[in-house]
Amino acid sequence: MLLGALVFGVVWCLIALFLRSYPETMAGYNTMPKEKRARIDIEKIGRVVYRAMFAGVPFALLSSLMPSEGLYVLMLVGVPVGLLIAVTIYVNVCKKKFEK
């Protein structure tokens, strides 16, 4: 269990770092018209997603301490992915905050 949590945490961190450095690789950005892309602050969105992903890493690393397999899976995958989904909804609802 500990090895799985460590591997997931490291991969999750690497994905977060990649999105921090290259936020334009996020889904949907490259398919937008150039006019829409010019209005969006993709760097700001990248920082928000990066922080949300890093916020989920401690839960993944602590998942190996859970007494049951259900809690292990919830902490390992459920909380980090849930945070990412919550931030995605936040970015889509509060579009004005992410405009240039």
Side-chain angles (χ1 to χ4, degrees), residues 20-39:
R20 173 73 168 118
S21 300
Y22 303 103
E24 64 275 357
T25 60
M26 283 189 261
Y29 182 73
N30 290 328
T31 59
M32 281 184 196
K34 291 189 187 282
E35 302 82 37
K36 246 185 169 177
R37 273 193 239 171
R39 292 189 317 236

Side-chain angles (χ1 to χ4, degrees), residues 33-52:
K34 291 189 187 282
E35 302 82 37
K36 246 185 169 177
R37 273 193 239 171
R39 292 189 317 236
I40 294 175
D41 189 1
I42 193 67
E43 297 295 324
K44 192 173 185 180
I45 294 173
R47 283 192 305 270
V48 170
V49 171
Y50 162 80
R51 289 177 183 151

Side-chain angles (χ1 to χ4, degrees), residues 34-100:
K34 291 189 187 282
E35 302 82 37
K36 246 185 169 177
R37 273 193 239 171
R39 292 189 317 236
I40 294 175
D41 189 1
I42 193 67
E43 297 295 324
K44 192 173 185 180
I45 294 173
R47 283 192 305 270
V48 170
V49 171
Y50 162 80
R51 289 177 183 151
M53 289 184 76
F54 262 99
V57 171
F59 293 101
L61 295 178
L62 291 174
S63 66
S64 60
L65 301 175
M66 295 297 111
S68 70
E69 190 173 328
L71 285 175
Y72 169 73
V73 172
L74 179 68
M75 291 283 286
L76 180 67
V77 181
V79 174
V81 172
L83 284 170
L84 190 58
I85 290 170
V87 164
T88 304
I89 292 170
Y90 173 74
V91 167
N92 284 308
V93 169
C94 302
K95 290 180 181 177
K96 299 275 185 200
K97 290 183 178 184
F98 300 101
E99 290 180 355
K100 289 183 182 175

